[in-house]
Amino acid sequence: MLGNLTGLHLVIIAGVPLVLVAVVVAAVVIGIRLSRKNAPRLATSPSNPTEQIQRLAQLRDEGILTHAEYEAKRAEVLNRN
């Protein structure tokens, strides 16, 4: 049966998996870029200490920071100013 395959058949048979891999890779890359675009910006913090503490409290209330992490960061903000 394989003896009846032409060069074009072999290109198609080999090319289909490559196209599928390319589509999957593209979908993963697009997903990563969208998730980064929609991710909250935690690195940028307000310059006002009161705003920083309010933001930390918000992160604690949302469950992103534990109470201990909140207290440590709060003390850090207060000691800086």
Side-chain angles (χ1 to χ4, degrees):
M1 169 120 180
L2 291 177
N4 295 334
L5 296 177
T6 66
L8 180 60
H9 289 113
L10 294 175
V11 169
I12 292 171
I13 291 170
V16 169
L18 294 176
V19 170
L20 291 175
V21 168
V23 169
V24 170
V25 169
V28 169
V29 168
I30 290 170
I32 291 170
R33 287 184 180 170
L34 287 175
S35 68
R36 286 182 181 171
K37 181 179 178 183
N38 296 329
R41 304 277 184 219
L42 299 178
T44 57
S45 61
S47 58
N48 181 336
T50 304
E51 291 176 6
Q52 288 178 333
I53 293 172
Q54 289 173 341
R55 177 68 178 140
L56 290 170
Q58 180 183 4
L59 293 173
R60 179 201 58 207
D61 294 343
E62 292 173 2
I64 296 171
L65 292 178
T66 65
H67 183 71
E69 291 169 328
Y70 164 78
E71 289 297 331
K73 288 292 187 181
R74 181 179 162 273
E76 185 180 311
V77 169
L78 292 174
N79 287 333
R80 260 188 285 172
N81 296 305

